[in-house]
Every structure is written in structure tokens, then in C-alpha cells.
Amino acid sequence: MDYLQGLNPSQRAAVEQTDGPVMIVAGAGSGKTRVITYRVAHLIQKGIDPFNILVLTFTNKAAKEMRERIMKVVGNEAKNIWMGTFHSVFAKILRVEAHHIGYPANFTIYDTDDSKSLIRSILKEMQLDDKLYNANFVYNRISAAKNNLISAAEYQKNAQIQAEDQSGGRGNLGQIYQTYSQRCYKAGAMDFDDLLFKTNVLLNQHPEVLYKYQTKFKYLMVDEYQDTNFSQYLIVKRLAAINENICVVGDDAQSIYAFRGANIQNILNFEKDYPDLKVFKLEQNYRSTQNIVNAANSIISNNKNQLKKNVFSENETGDKIKVVRAFSDNEEGKMVAENILQDRSLQSLRFKDFAILYRTNAQSRAMEEALRKLNIPYKIYGGTSFYQRKEIKDLIAYFRLTFNPNDEEALKRVINYPRRGIGDTSVERIFIAADQHQKSIWEVITTPQQYLDGRTAAVVYPFGSLIQSFQVLAKNNSAYDTALHIAQHSGILKDLYEDKSVEGLNRYENIQELLNGIKEFSEREDIAEKGLDVFMQDIALLTNDDNDKNPNADTVSLMTIHSSKGLEFPQVFIVGLEENLFPSQLALNSRTELEEERRLFYVAITRAEKKLTLSYATSRYRWGTLNNCEPSRFIDEIDPRYLALDFSAPTASKSSGDDVFGKARTAWSQPQSQDIFTKPKPKVVPKTTSILPKAHQPSAGFAPSDTSNLQVGMEVEHERFGFGKVINLEGNKPDIKATIFFKELGQKQLLLKFAKLRIVNN
């Protein structure tokens, strides 16, 4: 078995242990994907039928990469493995089994926009304040409930949840959840959370269905297990209950998705579910230099709630991690951009070798401005997905109606696009008639003369007939032929073609690109079913990282740290390393929250292969106010042996008895586990001491002086730069420039009319 020869001893042991419960703790850059793919290939080589293997991932991209690698070992048999994201695999099962829980096999999958649109409609109907009941808040509340398997009925019966809603002035949340669930059911639709929630309902209430899939999936593997939520945990546990041939792979040090329901306890407590568990630790990092790996280890060692492992690297020692201080976020961006140009030139690198990571999306502005000024091409990850663009969603809404005419959100989107005289008043009459006669919206539209006045019926009937003609066509034609016909006869192509603006042309080209994608889908040889409904299911389940149309473009990558997980780059800049920004001010209420922020920093560090730069600003605008900033505690937590401080002036001297990087730790009590609907008690986690330079604190009563008679040799104070001495003056009033040597920062040149200096002495 040649494929086993390239594995290190730990990897090989994990691959060959095929039976019983197994946990593979995979450190960053340790070859996790290789182990998963070879383990599946090894199962098939041992004679296990691929149809009996289930592999669950968190992205389609990961599943596609694994399947391709497995095919290289076992050939086309890899096509028969049940492999995909949690949502795609269980959507596939629900298509077959949904009738058990009262759903049609052709149920629509609502994306986030569909769900929020429906919520806004419900809020309007209930005449609720959409500021108090913000659609995003309501959506997230319902999502959290579903991920914790709390139904609408249970939500309204739970005294603790109801008390919290009442105290927040949102006592109608339970009723909104109930109405939302009913409307989705009536429309034959499930949202993303339902795909897991309804799977749990199905497996719990129908033991014959559970047994069917327990006996089918004799071997289960779960990637990124540290990112599973309660709903996913229960599904996996139920499916593995008979055979217990379950293998989970993950790294607790990279658990960073608590905000979307991930529960790190799933991996920390896995042994409690399976006492005879075999644990394998992949500890050799093949990605990064020794300095980067050692720095990451020194950071994560501060977390108490973790599975212990000793990650190491046998790569070159590499450069020390550079720590850069800027005076503002704009200067920080300028320094990063200049560093990229310099290193690209000196080391013959490409722009795609660089990544800039930040804690929040808002931080991209300063970086973008700096890159643009130096003509550095860049791409921001996490922007508008191709499938979220208006024209794409419009055409897909027609596709959705073709296969599920009860889809209320799709109907509202296109019933009058392109314009056909069915205005808001007519739509309202349709909904009222459906409610009064206890009929579906579709029944009213297809037989409008029975329920609507003459004029409304006259404009509505042709639309119903149009959708019916699409339904007939779809039964006997390929995905591409059906899609092209709908694009032409719906009027969308004509409407966009007639818009000769640049935006109109782009939208028309986007529709063409969608049709190209459907054509490509229609010609795929690796799938048997090629109908338009199958294509729609594929795109409905795309994850955020699946839409990169040109991954080989030579551009600098900008992204949040959350978006960077799973990626790697030769050079990485982690910017905005300031207290209350990273770690976030919102994450300082408990040790649990702080430890997740530290894991996020660990993920950021381990994206770097060759060189890592950390930067922070001593001042940053927030909500229009300039704030002084303090360096992040995370910089202090890195062992100083792996750091190279790059400041323009000497740092403060070390106080006697102080550890140079603040190694004294504050003892924290272990917080009690929190219910997802219970807010933790405010308790700010203190920051340890640091000798990294802090922003200057202006003298009491600081006020700028009249500098019209400023002279060389005078001592001055600047609000941000501190105390300095004037060493040169040049130019004429009112544009005199002063060169000042500041004690902490070195030489700076300032325009006096803007400088706001306080003259200390004459």
C-alpha cells in the first residue's frame, strides 16, 4: 500500500485504526486532510463498501478536495462515498425522507436573505417595532434556538427564555418564531438551520428511519469536530450508536465559532461518550517555521481548557516575528503596504503570497486605502457572493417557483419583475384571499377568477400560466435548456439587455455566467441526476468559501481571521493588535470568552508559513472620536525569544522584578457553563503588565499654545506623540513646518497650523 509510505508514524497509526471510536487531534499544519483522505481510502482498500462510508465536512471545498485525493488512490469508487457538508448530506436525506415529517421532497431551502425577508413581513403584519424587533436579531434568536433543538412550542413554554424576552421588552419573540415556522412549513421551505433541526426531528420521531441510516453508515468520519454545535453532535451520536465506528478529527486550539453555536465541549468531552476511545495526536507542523510554531505554542499554553499536545516543526528556524507600532490606523496601513512592496521586490514574491488578517471587517478600510495608493492589487474575502447578487437571486426565484410554487418568498420577489402590472396592492389582495378562503397562494394565482376581482384576476392569471409552462418544460429537459428558457421567457434577459448602463451590462453578464455554470453542470459525468432542481440544491448549500472564481489571481488577500481558517500564506500581517479590539472588548466578560479570542489569535498566527508581522496603532478613530490605544495582551503572551520589536524609538526600560513580557498571570476562577440564552455576569478579565510602549497620556489640563512665535530649542508637548524638542523650523506663515525630536518616537515633521502643540518652556 504505497500511499501509507509517505505518512509519519502518528499519521499512519491514525489511518490504520479503522474500527471503533477514534479521535485524531490534529495540530495546525499537521497534514490533517491527508490523514482523513488516506483513512477513507484505506477503508475501501480493506473491502468496505464506499456506500457505507459517511464523511462530514464544513465546506464543499474541503469535501471536493478530499474526494479528488481519494480518487487518486482508489479510483472511481470514491464517487460512491457519502461525503459533503452537514447541510448538503442531510438535505439529501431529507429529500428522501421529508414526507415522514410533512414536507414535500421538493422543499425550498431558504437562504439568510429569504428568512429575514419573511421575518420582516411577519413583523409588519404583527405591527411590531422593527427597531426593537430588528430582523437580524430575531433571525439570530431563532437560529440559536434551532441549533439547541428548541422548537417554537418549547421556546414559548420555557420560563427562563420567556423571562429574558420580557425583560428585554421583546415578549413577542416566541410568537414570531411560531409564525415563522408555520409560514415556512406552509411554503414547503426549510431554512439552513432546519436542515439539521428537522433531521434531528426525523431521527428522533421515526426510529425506523434512524435504524435505516445507522445500518447504512457503518463508518463515520467528521472533520473539524471542534466546530460542531449541539444539533450536529446529536445527529452524529445517533447515527454512530450501533456500530460505533466513528472517527472525529479536529483541534480544540482552533475552535473559534462559539458565536454561531459551536461547542468546544464536544471535542473536549468526546472520551466521555466513548470510554474505549483511541486518541492519536498529529503534532508535527509541516506548514510553518520553527519560530512561528513555537510562538503559537507559547500563546495557546495560556488557555487552561484544552487538550494538551506538543506541536513542533522540523522546518527552518525562520525569521523572528516582527512587532510593528504605528501612530494611527492609517499609518499602520501605510507601513503594511510598504512592507509588502519591499518584500515582494527583495524576495521575488507574488502579491498572492501576502495576506492581511484583522479582527473585524471595518479594519479593512485603512488597509485598502494604503494598498490603492501604492497600486497594489488586492481582494477582500467575504464580500458579496455571486449567488447573492440581485439579478442572480431574481432568476433563481423563477427556478424555485417552477419546482415549488408554494414558495412565498420567491413569489413575492418576481411576481412583478419584470413589471407586469401586479403591484403591491394586487399582491396584498392575493394574500388576503388565500387567508380568507384557506387556500394556498398558488391556488389563488392559478384560479384567480374564483377569488379575486376582475382586474386583479386579469393581470395575475398570465403569471400563473407562465410558471405552469415552466413546470411542464422542466420535466423533460436538461437543467441548461430549462434555465435558458426561463431566463428568456420570464423577461429577465430582455430587461437586463435593454439596460445599457455599465451596471446593466454587468448584471446581464452575470446572468450569462450563471447559465454557463448550469451548462457545465449539465455536462458533468460524475453525477447521474442533472435536472435544474438538483443544480439549485447544490447552489443553495454553497458555503462562503466556495465562490472564489479565480483563486490564482495575483492579489494580496484581505480577510477577517475567522475567514482565514483553513488557509495558509507565505507572509501574513495580523493588524490591529490592540486591547479592546483584539481581544475584543465584547470578549472580556469571562475566561471562556477570552480563551476563544486567544484561540482566534492562534489560528491567525498559524496561517503564516515563512514570515509573520504583528502590528498595532497607538491611536484609532472610533465613532468619530480619536482614542488612545494600548497594545494587545496577546503580544505580551508570546515568548520574547521569538519576537523582534521594530519601533522607531527605544521602549521603556524594564522595571526591577517585572517579567519583560508580563508573564505574571492573574488567577481566574473557572466560570460555570452558560445556557445559550443566559447572559454571563459582567466581569472584565484584567490584562497582565506589559513594557510595550503605550500611547502618551496628555498632561492634566492640556491645551494647545499659540505657536506663532515658536523657536528652535523650545520644548513642547503633543497630545499623542508626547514630549519633544524643536530642532528645525522652515517655510513661511501660515505653512511653517516644525521638525521635532520626540523622546519616545524619534523625529517627526509637523505643520504648525494643525499640530496642536503645548509649549512647555521658552
Side-chain angles (χ1 to χ4, degrees):
M1 296 182 184
D2 294 339
Y3 60 91
L4 296 177
Q5 303 306 313
L7 301 174
N8 68 36
S10 297
Q11 292 173 331
R12 180 160 184 163
V15 166
E16 292 182 324
Q17 181 60 51
T18 54
D19 294 329
V22 172
M23 178 165 69
I24 302 173
V25 182
S30 62
K32 174 195 67 155
T33 303
R34 169 185 282 197
V35 170
I36 295 173
T37 53
Y38 282 5
R39 192 174 188 275
V40 175
H42 194 59
L43 282 169
I44 296 172
Q45 294 283 50
K46 286 179 64 176
I48 304 301
D49 190 332
F51 285 101
N52 297 138
I53 301 172
L54 171 62
V55 183
L56 296 169
T57 67
F58 274 83
T59 67
N60 292 306
K61 181 180 175 184
K64 182 172 182 281
E65 181 184 350
M66 288 180 195
R67 194 184 298 275
E68 288 171 352
R69 289 198 194 185
I70 296 168
M71 284 183 69
K72 290 179 180 177
V73 180
V74 301
N76 287 334
E77 278 295 298
K79 294 178 181 179
N80 299 325
I81 302 164
W82 279 65
M83 178 183 288
T85 65
F86 277 88
H87 292 89
S88 64
V89 167
F90 296 118
K92 184 177 178 181
I93 290 174
L94 285 169
R95 294 285 179 201
V96 177
E97 312 292 350
H99 63 277
H100 290 288
I101 55 175
Y103 275 84
N106 64 339
F107 62 84
T108 297
I109 299 173
Y110 277 179
D111 65 14
T112 304
D113 286 347
D114 295 321
S115 295
K116 290 179 181 176
S117 173
L118 177 54
I119 288 168
R120 280 189 285 268
S121 296
I122 293 169
L123 294 176
K124 186 176 180 181
E125 292 163 13
M126 294 177 68
Q127 298 182 327
L128 294 172
D129 183 350
D130 60 3
K131 293 184 176 62
L132 181 62
Y133 290 93
N134 176 274
N136 287 331
F137 175 85
V138 174
Y139 172 79
N140 289 329
R141 187 72 168 173
I142 293 172
S143 176
K146 288 182 180 179
N147 285 328
N148 282 274
L149 301 184
I150 300 171
S151 68
E154 291 165 335
Y155 187 102
Q156 294 186 85
K157 291 177 185 176
N158 188 303
Q160 182 181 355
I161 294 175
Q162 291 305 305
E164 183 179 333
D165 286 352
Q166 292 290 348
S167 67
R170 299 186 180 94
N172 289 303
L173 277 171
Q175 184 56 49
I176 297 170
Y177 183 9
Q178 181 73 44
T179 306
Y180 173 80
S181 299
Q182 291 169 346
R183 292 280 278 277
C184 286
Y185 181 77
K186 187 177 178 182
M190 296 188 196
D191 62 22
F192 259 48
D193 296 310
D194 278 328
L195 296 176
L196 301 181
F197 181 81
K198 300 296 184 185
T199 298
N200 268 296
V201 171
L202 177 69
L203 300 181
N204 186 43
Q205 295 181 359
H206 298 274
E208 74 283 4
V209 176
L210 173 61
Y211 182 74
K212 172 182 174 180
Y213 290 99
Q214 285 175 331
T215 52
K216 177 177 179 60
F217 300 132
K218 293 182 169 61
Y219 290 85
L220 274 73
M221 287 193 70
V222 185
D223 188 21
E224 303 286 10
Y225 189 67
Q226 76 280 349
D227 293 336
T228 54
N229 60 29
F230 180 60
S231 182
Q232 291 161 327
Y233 161 79
L234 269 190
I235 293 172
V236 170
K237 188 177 180 183
R238 281 179 172 140
L239 290 177
I242 290 181
N243 297 298
E244 289 201 350
N245 292 324
I246 178 171
C247 174
V248 300
V249 186
D251 181 7
D252 59 296
Q254 297 185 65
S255 177
I256 58 173
Y257 295 115
F259 68 92
R260 68 183 190 197
N263 186 355
I264 191 175
Q265 298 304 320
N266 291 349
I267 193 168
L268 295 179
N269 296 330
F270 192 66
E271 192 168 3
K272 292 181 180 178
D273 289 332
Y274 303 96
D276 56 342
L277 177 72
K278 290 184 171 61
V279 180
F280 300 90
K281 295 183 180 181
L282 309 183
E283 297 175 307
Q284 183 171 354
N285 180 301
Y286 292 92
R287 175 188 301 153
S288 307
T289 64
Q290 292 180 28
N291 270 328
I292 291 171
V293 170
N294 291 337
N297 286 342
S298 67
I299 276 288
I300 206 63
S301 67
N302 290 282
N303 274 10
K304 296 185 179 180
N305 201 16
Q306 63 174 304
L307 298 170
K308 292 294 183 183
K309 55 187 173 297
N310 179 36
V311 180
F312 66 94
S313 172
E314 293 183 354
N315 295 336
E316 61 184 336
T317 303
D319 295 338
K320 289 189 175 184
I321 295 169
K322 192 172 169 185
V323 181
V324 178
R325 174 188 60 191
F327 304 116
S328 67
D329 51 351
N330 286 332
E331 186 181 42
E332 182 184 36
K334 181 172 178 285
M335 291 164 66
V336 168
E338 289 173 348
N339 268 293
I340 289 173
L341 275 188
Q342 178 178 303
D343 283 2
R344 178 175 178 268
S345 174
L346 294 176
Q347 300 177 35
S348 300
L349 297 171
R350 300 159 300 176
F351 286 121
K352 64 185 290 186
D353 294 328
F354 298 87
I356 303 172
L357 310 183
Y358 33 77
R359 180 64 181 83
T360 65
N361 276 307
Q363 291 170 256
S364 73
R365 181 201 57 78
M367 296 297 139
E368 287 187 76
E369 287 183 7
L371 294 172
R372 279 200 297 265
K373 285 177 181 175
L374 294 181
N375 294 317
I376 297 175
Y378 65 89
K379 174 184 177 180
I380 294 183
Y381 282 69
T384 303
S385 155
F386 177 78
Y387 291 102
Q388 293 300 316
R389 293 169 184 167
K390 179 187 180 301
E391 60 277 12
I392 301 300
K393 295 199 73 171
D394 288 339
L395 183 51
I396 288 175
Y398 274 104
F399 297 166
R400 282 165 48 175
L401 273 181
T402 299
F403 294 98
N404 178 13
N406 290 315
D407 186 338
E408 184 179 312
E409 290 305 307
L411 177 77
K412 287 191 294 186
R413 186 175 190 97
V414 297
I415 193 170
N416 198 38
Y417 176 72
R419 292 187 179 279
R420 51 177 61 91
I422 309 175
D424 292 344
T425 302
S426 297
V427 173
E428 190 174 345
R429 286 173 182 159
I430 295 169
F431 277 77
I432 290 172
D435 187 54
Q436 287 178 343
H437 295 278
Q438 293 297 296
K439 298 292 183 181
S440 69
I441 305 295
W442 181 241
E443 286 179 279
V444 174
I445 287 175
T446 50
T447 54
Q449 63 280 0
Q450 296 182 31
Y451 308 104
L452 302 171
D453 63 81
R455 186 208 162 275
T456 307
V459 294
V460 166
Y461 183 77
F463 176 73
S465 298
L466 179 70
I467 301 301
Q468 287 176 320
S469 72
F470 295 163
Q471 292 172 333
V472 172
L473 184 84
K475 290 178 181 178
N476 302 307
N477 285 273
S478 70
Y480 176 73
D481 290 339
T482 304
L484 180 61
H485 179 90
I486 293 173
Q488 291 171 335
H489 291 81
S490 65
I492 287 182
L493 271 183
K494 181 175 182 290
D495 185 68
L496 294 178
Y497 181 77
E498 290 175 349
D499 182 353
K500 300 301 183 182
S501 67
V502 175
E503 293 80 6
L505 179 61
N506 287 336
R507 287 193 286 267
Y508 183 79
E509 289 174 346
N510 285 337
I511 293 291
Q512 292 288 358
E513 181 61 29
L514 174 62
L515 294 172
N516 291 341
I518 297 173
K519 179 70 171 177
E520 184 180 333
F521 170 84
S522 297
E523 295 174 352
R524 280 174 56 180
E525 296 181 357
D526 60 330
I527 54 173
E529 297 181 24
K530 301 177 183 179
L532 184 57
D533 55 336
V534 180
F535 174 82
M536 287 163 54
Q537 181 177 323
D538 279 358
I539 63 172
L541 295 165
L542 283 176
T543 48
N544 288 335
D545 64 339
D546 297 319
N547 299 310
D548 186 3
K549 302 303 282 186
N550 186 10
N552 295 315
D554 190 24
T555 56
V556 175
S557 298
L558 274 68
M559 67 188 80
T560 64
I561 300 167
H562 282 100
S563 299
S564 74
K565 190 163 179 289
L567 303 176
E568 55 191 51
F569 302 90
Q571 291 208 26
V572 170
F573 295 84
I574 307 174
V575 301
L577 273 166
E578 296 136 36
E579 200 69 7
N580 296 326
L581 183 56
F582 194 19
S584 167
Q585 188 172 13
L586 301 175
L588 298 178
N589 292 324
S590 71
R591 193 176 115 208
T592 301
E593 293 172 334
L594 179 61
E595 290 202 350
E596 171 137 344
E597 286 288 292
R598 191 178 284 115
R599 292 194 295 270
L600 190 59
F601 186 44
Y602 176 86
V603 167
I605 288 176
T606 54
R607 298 312 94 200
E609 297 172 352
K610 301 289 187 184
K611 184 176 179 181
L612 175 64
T613 302
L614 313 178
S615 66
Y616 68 93
T618 58
S619 65
R620 187 179 296 270
Y621 275 100
R622 291 187 187 173
W623 304 107
T625 303
L626 187 66
N627 293 285
N628 291 327
C629 303
E630 187 180 350
S632 169
R633 67 184 72 195
F634 292 153
I635 300 176
D636 298 315
E637 291 177 354
I638 300 176
D639 190 316
R641 289 178 295 170
Y642 311 121
L643 295 179
L645 306 185
D646 183 19
F647 300 142
S648 56
T651 59
S653 60
K654 178 183 173 185
S655 302
S656 60
D658 281 349
D659 186 324
V660 65
F661 274 82
K663 292 298 175 184
R665 303 292 173 213
T666 303
W668 293 303
S669 59
Q670 176 69 39
Q672 298 299 311
S673 61
Q674 296 284 344
D675 183 279
I676 191 157
F677 291 101
T678 305
K679 296 176 183 174
K681 295 177 181 178
K683 177 187 174 185
V684 176
V685 179
K687 180 179 184 289
T688 55
T689 57
S690 168
I691 66 138
L692 286 174
K694 298 180 181 178
H696 172 69
Q697 297 297 322
S699 303
F702 177 91
S705 304
D706 177 4
T707 55
S708 58
N709 294 314
L710 190 70
Q711 296 178 20
V712 172
M714 286 185 174
E715 291 187 8
V716 294
E717 180 186 11
H718 187 276
E719 193 171 16
R720 282 194 289 146
F721 303 154
F723 293 97
K725 189 171 185 177
V726 181
I727 58 175
N728 188 42
L729 293 168
E730 60 182 89
N732 300 311
K733 292 182 181 180
D735 297 317
I736 296 177
K737 292 180 182 177
T739 304
I740 303 171
F741 185 85
F742 290 99
K743 295 177 182 178
E744 292 294 325
L745 307 177
Q747 190 169 299
K748 301 287 276 185
Q749 194 173 64
L750 305 174
L751 200 59
L752 282 186
K753 63 182 178 182
F754 298 127
K756 296 183 180 179
L757 299 170
R758 181 178 75 88
I759 298 174
V760 178
N761 63 45
N762 294 322

Short mmCIF file of all heavy atoms in Angstrom, two decimals, residues 664-690:
data_model
loop_
_atom_site.label_atom_id
_atom_site.label_comp_id
_atom_site.label_asym_id
_atom_site.label_seq_id
_atom_site.Cartn_x
_atom_site.Cartn_y
_atom_site.Cartn_z
N ALA A 664 3.62 37.31 34.60
CA ALA A 664 2.79 37.09 35.79
C ALA A 664 1.35 36.95 35.36
O ALA A 664 0.84 37.75 34.60
CB ALA A 664 2.94 38.27 36.74
N ARG A 665 0.67 35.93 35.81
CA ARG A 665 -0.70 35.66 35.39
C ARG A 665 -1.68 35.99 36.50
O ARG A 665 -1.39 35.81 37.68
CB ARG A 665 -0.87 34.18 35.00
CG ARG A 665 0.08 33.76 33.91
CD ARG A 665 -0.27 34.45 32.60
NE ARG A 665 0.73 34.17 31.61
CZ ARG A 665 1.08 35.02 30.67
NH1 ARG A 665 0.54 36.19 30.60
NH2 ARG A 665 2.00 34.68 29.79
N THR A 666 -2.84 36.47 36.13
CA THR A 666 -3.91 36.69 37.09
C THR A 666 -4.76 35.44 37.18
O THR A 666 -5.15 34.90 36.17
CB THR A 666 -4.80 37.87 36.63
OG1 THR A 666 -3.97 39.00 36.47
CG2 THR A 666 -5.89 38.16 37.65
N ALA A 667 -5.00 34.98 38.40
CA ALA A 667 -5.79 33.75 38.57
C ALA A 667 -7.26 34.05 38.30
O ALA A 667 -7.81 35.01 38.81
CB ALA A 667 -5.62 33.22 39.99
N TRP A 668 -7.88 33.22 37.46
CA TRP A 668 -9.31 33.36 37.17
C TRP A 668 -10.04 32.14 37.69
O TRP A 668 -9.55 31.01 37.58
CB TRP A 668 -9.54 33.46 35.67
CG TRP A 668 -8.99 34.70 35.07
CD1 TRP A 668 -9.27 35.97 35.40
CD2 TRP A 668 -8.04 34.77 33.99
NE1 TRP A 668 -8.56 36.84 34.60
CE2 TRP A 668 -7.80 36.14 33.74
CE3 TRP A 668 -7.38 33.82 33.23
CZ2 TRP A 668 -6.94 36.58 32.76
CZ3 TRP A 668 -6.52 34.26 32.25
CH2 TRP A 668 -6.30 35.63 32.03
N SER A 669 -11.19 32.35 38.22
CA SER A 669 -12.00 31.21 38.64
C SER A 669 -12.66 30.61 37.41
O SER A 669 -12.99 31.32 36.47
CB SER A 669 -13.06 31.64 39.64
OG SER A 669 -13.89 32.63 39.07
N GLN A 670 -12.85 29.30 37.40
CA GLN A 670 -13.49 28.62 36.27
C GLN A 670 -14.96 29.01 36.21
O GLN A 670 -15.71 28.76 37.15
CB GLN A 670 -13.37 27.09 36.45
CG GLN A 670 -14.10 26.30 35.39
CD GLN A 670 -13.43 26.43 34.03
OE1 GLN A 670 -12.22 26.45 33.93
NE2 GLN A 670 -14.23 26.52 33.00
N PRO A 671 -15.41 29.66 35.12
CA PRO A 671 -16.82 30.04 35.05
C PRO A 671 -17.72 28.82 34.87
O PRO A 671 -17.30 27.81 34.31
CB PRO A 671 -16.88 30.93 33.80
CG PRO A 671 -15.75 30.45 32.95
CD PRO A 671 -14.67 29.99 33.91
N GLN A 672 -18.93 28.92 35.36
CA GLN A 672 -19.90 27.85 35.16
C GLN A 672 -20.34 27.88 33.70
O GLN A 672 -20.37 28.91 33.06
CB GLN A 672 -21.12 28.07 36.07
CG GLN A 672 -20.78 28.02 37.56
CD GLN A 672 -20.20 26.68 37.97
OE1 GLN A 672 -20.75 25.65 37.65
NE2 GLN A 672 -19.08 26.71 38.68
N SER A 673 -20.68 26.70 33.16
CA SER A 673 -21.15 26.67 31.78
C SER A 673 -22.45 27.44 31.67
O SER A 673 -23.30 27.39 32.55
CB SER A 673 -21.37 25.21 31.34
OG SER A 673 -22.35 24.61 32.14
N GLN A 674 -22.57 28.19 30.57
CA GLN A 674 -23.71 29.09 30.40
C GLN A 674 -24.72 28.50 29.42
O GLN A 674 -24.35 27.93 28.40
CB GLN A 674 -23.23 30.44 29.86
CG GLN A 674 -22.31 31.19 30.81
CD GLN A 674 -23.07 31.83 31.94
OE1 GLN A 674 -24.28 31.98 31.88
NE2 GLN A 674 -22.38 32.19 33.00
N ASP A 675 -25.99 28.61 29.74
CA ASP A 675 -27.04 28.31 28.78
C ASP A 675 -26.94 29.34 27.66
O ASP A 675 -26.59 30.50 27.90
CB ASP A 675 -28.41 28.41 29.46
CG ASP A 675 -29.54 28.03 28.52
OD1 ASP A 675 -29.93 28.90 27.72
OD2 ASP A 675 -30.01 26.89 28.59
N ILE A 676 -27.22 28.93 26.43
CA ILE A 676 -27.05 29.85 25.29
C ILE A 676 -27.93 31.08 25.41
O ILE A 676 -27.64 32.12 24.85
CB ILE A 676 -27.31 29.14 23.96
CG1 ILE A 676 -26.87 30.01 22.80
CG2 ILE A 676 -28.79 28.77 23.79
CD1 ILE A 676 -26.56 29.26 21.57
N PHE A 677 -29.02 30.99 26.17
CA PHE A 677 -29.91 32.13 26.31
C PHE A 677 -29.66 32.90 27.60
O PHE A 677 -30.40 33.79 27.97
CB PHE A 677 -31.37 31.68 26.26
CG PHE A 677 -31.76 31.20 24.90
CD1 PHE A 677 -31.83 29.86 24.62
CD2 PHE A 677 -32.03 32.11 23.89
CE1 PHE A 677 -32.18 29.41 23.36
CE2 PHE A 677 -32.39 31.67 22.63
CZ PHE A 677 -32.46 30.32 22.37
N THR A 678 -28.58 32.53 28.35
CA THR A 678 -28.29 33.22 29.60
C THR A 678 -27.06 34.08 29.42
O THR A 678 -26.01 33.60 29.03
CB THR A 678 -28.03 32.20 30.73
OG1 THR A 678 -29.15 31.33 30.81
CG2 THR A 678 -27.82 32.91 32.05
N LYS A 679 -27.17 35.35 29.72
CA LYS A 679 -26.04 36.26 29.57
C LYS A 679 -25.08 36.10 30.75
O LYS A 679 -25.51 36.05 31.89
CB LYS A 679 -26.54 37.71 29.52
CG LYS A 679 -27.40 38.00 28.31
CD LYS A 679 -27.94 39.40 28.37
CE LYS A 679 -28.87 39.69 27.19
NZ LYS A 679 -29.52 40.99 27.28
N PRO A 680 -23.75 36.02 30.50
CA PRO A 680 -22.81 35.90 31.60
C PRO A 680 -22.76 37.20 32.41
O PRO A 680 -23.02 38.28 31.90
CB PRO A 680 -21.48 35.66 30.90
CG PRO A 680 -21.66 36.22 29.53
CD PRO A 680 -23.11 36.04 29.20
N LYS A 681 -22.44 37.06 33.68
CA LYS A 681 -22.33 38.25 34.52
C LYS A 681 -21.12 39.05 34.08
O LYS A 681 -20.05 38.50 33.84
CB LYS A 681 -22.18 37.84 35.98
CG LYS A 681 -23.41 37.13 36.54
CD LYS A 681 -23.17 36.69 37.97
CE LYS A 681 -24.40 35.96 38.51
NZ LYS A 681 -24.19 35.47 39.89
N PRO A 682 -21.25 40.38 34.00
CA PRO A 682 -20.12 41.20 33.59
C PRO A 682 -18.95 41.04 34.55
O PRO A 682 -19.10 41.19 35.75
CB PRO A 682 -20.69 42.63 33.64
CG PRO A 682 -22.16 42.46 33.56
CD PRO A 682 -22.46 41.17 34.24
N LYS A 683 -17.81 40.68 34.01
CA LYS A 683 -16.62 40.53 34.83
C LYS A 683 -15.43 40.71 33.91
O LYS A 683 -15.05 39.81 33.18
CB LYS A 683 -16.57 39.16 35.49
CG LYS A 683 -15.30 38.92 36.30
CD LYS A 683 -15.26 37.48 36.77
CE LYS A 683 -13.93 37.20 37.45
NZ LYS A 683 -13.77 35.79 37.81
N VAL A 684 -14.85 41.89 33.89
CA VAL A 684 -13.79 42.19 32.95
C VAL A 684 -12.53 41.43 33.35
O VAL A 684 -12.08 41.51 34.49
CB VAL A 684 -13.51 43.70 32.89
CG1 VAL A 684 -12.34 43.98 31.97
CG2 VAL A 684 -14.75 44.44 32.40
N VAL A 685 -11.99 40.67 32.39
CA VAL A 685 -10.76 39.94 32.65
C VAL A 685 -9.60 40.90 32.58
O VAL A 685 -9.40 41.57 31.57
CB VAL A 685 -10.58 38.80 31.62
CG1 VAL A 685 -9.29 38.06 31.89
CG2 VAL A 685 -11.78 37.87 31.66
N PRO A 686 -8.79 41.02 33.64
CA PRO A 686 -7.72 42.01 33.65
C PRO A 686 -6.59 41.65 32.70
O PRO A 686 -6.36 40.49 32.40
CB PRO A 686 -7.23 41.97 35.10
CG PRO A 686 -7.56 40.59 35.57
CD PRO A 686 -8.84 40.22 34.87
N LYS A 687 -5.89 42.66 32.23
CA LYS A 687 -4.75 42.47 31.35
C LYS A 687 -3.48 42.41 32.20
O LYS A 687 -3.35 43.12 33.19
CB LYS A 687 -4.67 43.64 30.36
CG LYS A 687 -3.52 43.56 29.37
CD LYS A 687 -3.57 44.75 28.44
CE LYS A 687 -2.50 44.67 27.36
NZ LYS A 687 -1.15 44.87 27.87
N THR A 688 -2.57 41.54 31.83
CA THR A 688 -1.31 41.47 32.55
C THR A 688 -0.44 42.67 32.20
O THR A 688 -0.68 43.39 31.25
CB THR A 688 -0.56 40.18 32.18
OG1 THR A 688 -0.41 40.13 30.76
CG2 THR A 688 -1.33 38.96 32.65
N THR A 689 0.63 42.89 32.97
CA THR A 689 1.50 44.04 32.74
C THR A 689 2.29 43.88 31.45
O THR A 689 2.47 42.78 30.95
CB THR A 689 2.49 44.20 33.90
OG1 THR A 689 3.23 42.97 34.03
CG2 THR A 689 1.77 44.48 35.19
N SER A 690 2.75 44.99 30.91
CA SER A 690 3.48 44.96 29.64
C SER A 690 4.46 46.12 29.58
O SER A 690 4.22 47.18 30.14
CB SER A 690 2.49 45.08 28.48
OG SER A 690 3.17 45.32 27.28
#
